Amino acid sequence: MTRVFADEAAAFMDEHVLPAEAVLAEQVAATPDDWSTRPVVRALQEAARERGLWNLFLPPGPHGYGGGLSTLRYAPVAELTGRSPRLAPTAMNCAAPDTGNMELLAHFGTPEQQERWLEPLLDARIRSAFCMTEPGTASSDASQIGTRVHRDGDEWVVNGRKWFATGAMNPECELLVVMGKTDPNGPRHRQQSMVLVPRGTPGVTVVRPLTVLGYDDRDHGGHAEIRFDDVRVPAANLLGGAGDGFAIAQARLGPGRVHHCMRALGMAERALDLVRARANERIAFGTTLARQGVVREWAADARVEVEALRLLVLKTAWHMDTEGNRAAMTGIQAIKVAVPRAVQRILDRSIQLFGAAGLTDDHPLAAMFAAARALRLADGPDEVHVAALGKAELRLPSSTMEGVVQ
């Protein structure tokens, strides 16, 4: 089954997605103030549906949603979509942050929450954002989250500031999944809860869009700073139970890190395709770049790293499928550290080989480099994962890492 989906996804990429990249660039340039989903993306989504390449990230489960692939079977498809990170994941309705939010709603949502939010997300009729990171705190330590959520009768009241809420600039974003403290004096892993906040709720203010190394990512909804001022939502909008926020975040981030890592390896493979063509046609010092020893060394190192890391990610995905996310945590931490670092290095050398052209948007290398660099902060910075992985390796007492988002 995996081979069939991978073959279908590869054909879809070659026949539809890669040729559409120039179209997306034209449509974004023609409407520079528009944050909505562009027409070319809608056309690709219809093509993906027809091919059965839809919601493949969500495995079948007892919750009644899904029907896609297991984590291991989805991994090769995710890698293929990484070759065109701006188009392919969204075209297949497999793009973050919607994927993680759909997983949360599928596993922790009530039937009413699933009907209102999950079903339209699965159908790509709406978008969503995940609001965890804050400008005033080190959000890798969930115990420091400043956003407060308190109960007032039949409502939850939210106050705080979030940023890098990916997708929230898109006018089709109708749901904000907000993590805040409901019990500041409780046990460190039971202080936080998650609430579902409709984007149009009074008191929700989208302050500004943010950039990532100069890219505003408006083609997929950007990254917003959001202020919540006495935002009131019904008590039924609590996701899971009060105090479950930390555990729910862990459940969300596990599969997402595998998806991110496989897409990152897809970016590396796309970069190597471009390097291969460039190195064999570009002449410097009387011969092609492909005949230069340093370039051959770069290519060899890149191939070894990609092949080794792909196997590590696939092993981690298999571990998650067979024994669960918690049992696979050390593998998840390892890939989250190793893959973005390696891919960033491969993209950096690819830009170097392209020279000045590598710094421009004439090629996707600069944008992919920005994405790879950001990935070393997204879903927990390198240092947190290294510390947690080292603790597990040395079997230190668990008290040394309390409160850390792993």
Side-chain angles (χ1 to χ4, degrees), residues 53-107:
L53 299 172
W54 194 254
N55 294 331
L56 297 180
F57 72 95
L58 189 59
H63 43 69
Y65 292 94
L69 304 174
S70 68
T71 308
L72 179 60
R73 289 179 169 179
Y74 174 63
V77 178
E79 179 180 339
L80 287 165
T81 65
R83 289 175 173 264
S84 183
R86 299 175 69 192
L87 271 178
T90 303
M92 299 182 191
N93 209 34
C94 292
D98 291 326
T99 49
N101 293 338
M102 285 188 268
E103 287 171 336
L104 290 188
L105 289 164
H107 290 285

Side-chain angles (χ1 to χ4, degrees), residues 201-255:
T201 304
V204 174
T205 302
V206 177
V207 178
R208 57 172 176 152
L210 301 162
T211 60
V212 177
L213 295 182
Y215 290 92
D216 62 22
D217 296 332
R218 70 177 53 241
D219 51 274
H220 66 70
H223 316 277
E225 180 179 349
I226 304 176
R227 192 173 67 244
F228 298 87
D229 298 309
D230 291 326
V231 174
R232 291 178 173 269
V233 297
N237 282 32
L238 185 70
L239 186 63
D244 289 345
F246 188 89
I248 291 175
Q250 294 300 298
R252 182 186 190 275
L253 294 173

